[in-house]
């Protein structure tokens, strides 16, 4: 672990390799698991605002889940998440012609209908951020459904922090990311 400003970062972020391999996993992270994507409070508001523009991109099952549960749900612990279809798929998941799970929000973004790409927790994956009073913990979330992404990352020699560069800058800013790169480069040399 090392510290950058108000973040405590797992060294796995700079030491382990990762590149999503959708042809192998088919987007399993969007349909496996027992919870929706974590949301920040401002993201819940964004979802409320953009839902009418995202709705045409969604599957009917997703629309039904959202319209019965809301554009986001609050867990028993008070955390905000995307709703699920039958306790499995994220309500915002769509599938391409190869049955690969994709994000309906991101598709609306790609088509120019909305200016918000998707929840930052999805954009950051496999990194998970846990916020505490004094700092945020930035950790690698190892999940066996992403084993193919680890293999591909190793083949391409792309560490996690480089794979999710855009998302890390979105979350923590350009200056923070440049400091992270300095730490990674200094550890490579030692």
């Amino acid at each position: 672990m090392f510290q950058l400003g108000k973040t405590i970062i797992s060294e796995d972020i700079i030491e382990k390799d990762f590149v999503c391999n959708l042809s192998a996993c088919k987007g399993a992270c969007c349909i496996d698991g027992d919870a929706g994507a974590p949301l920040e409070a401002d993201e819940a508001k964004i979802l409320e605002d953009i839902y009418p523009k995202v709705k045409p991109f969604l599957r009917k099952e997703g629309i039904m889940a959202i319209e019965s549960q809301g554009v986001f749900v609050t867990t028993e612990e008070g955390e905000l998440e995307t709703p699920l279809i039958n306790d499995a798929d994220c309500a915002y998941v769509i599938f391409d012609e190869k049955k690969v799970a994709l994000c309906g929000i991101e598709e609306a973004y790609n088509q120019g209908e909305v200016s918000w790409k998707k929840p930052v927790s999805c954009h950051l994956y496999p990194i998970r951020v846990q916020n505490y009073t004094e700092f945020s913990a930035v950790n690698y979330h190892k999940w066996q459904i992403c084993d193919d992404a680890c293999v591909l990352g190793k083949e391409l020699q792309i560490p996690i922090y480089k794979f999710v560069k855009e998302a890390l800058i979105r979350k923590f800013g350009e200056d923070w990311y440049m400091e992270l790169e300095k730490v990674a480069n200094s550890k490579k040399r030692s």
Side-chain angles (χ1 to χ4, degrees):
M1 301 290 257
F2 59 95
Q3 184 170 355
L4 281 182
K6 294 189 177 241
T7 57
I8 306 294
I9 303 155
S10 165
E11 296 203 8
D12 284 347
I13 303 302
I14 58 177
E15 293 173 353
K16 303 230 184 263
D17 297 323
F18 191 99
V19 172
C20 279
N21 188 345
L22 287 176
S23 62
C25 74
K26 306 287 189 214
C29 61
C30 298
I31 55 176
D32 286 352
D34 55 7
L39 297 170
E40 296 179 359
D42 64 323
E43 293 181 318
K45 174 70 174 117
I46 291 168
L47 276 175
E48 288 176 335
D49 293 343
I50 67 170
Y51 177 68
K53 291 182 178 179
V54 170
K55 182 178 176 180
F57 294 89
L58 303 178
R59 299 181 298 147
K60 67 179 183 331
E61 303 92 330
I63 294 168
M64 288 171 41
I66 291 165
E67 294 186 354
S68 68
Q69 299 170 55
V71 295
F72 65 90
V73 296
T74 305
T75 68
E76 291 177 12
E77 296 80 30
E79 303 289 325
L80 304 175
E81 296 178 348
T82 59
L84 297 176
I85 301 167
N86 300 323
D87 296 322
D89 300 8
C90 173
Y92 294 97
V93 78
I94 59 174
F95 295 94
D96 70 9
E97 63 283 343
K98 295 178 183 171
K99 303 287 187 232
V100 173
L102 302 171
C103 178
I105 301 165
E106 189 170 11
E107 186 58 27
Y109 171 86
N110 291 341
Q111 298 293 325
E113 294 298 320
V114 297
S115 60
W116 187 66
K117 189 170 192 163
K118 59 182 161 185
V120 74
S121 66
C122 301
H123 201 186
L124 280 168
Y125 202 78
I127 291 177
R128 284 286 187 228
V129 177
Q130 181 67 47
N131 295 314
Y132 297 95
T133 310
E134 300 295 321
F135 67 94
S136 294
V138 182
N139 291 299
Y140 166 48
H141 180 248
K142 182 148 178 50
W143 194 5
Q144 77 137 96
I145 64 171
C146 294
D147 286 351
D148 289 315
C150 297
V151 170
L152 182 58
K154 192 172 229 39
E155 282 175 22
L156 300 174
Q157 298 182 337
I158 297 176
I160 295 168
Y161 80 95
K162 286 187 179 181
F163 174 69
V164 295
K165 176 180 179 176
E166 179 185 335
L168 286 169
I169 291 171
R170 175 181 167 195
K171 176 74 176 166
F172 298 111
E174 186 88 40
D175 291 343
W176 181 94
Y177 187 82
M178 288 187 333
E179 290 301 313
L180 177 66
E181 278 191 318
K182 286 179 189 171
V183 171
N185 289 333
S186 71
K187 289 191 179 286
K188 248 195 277 187
R189 289 191 293 268
S190 49

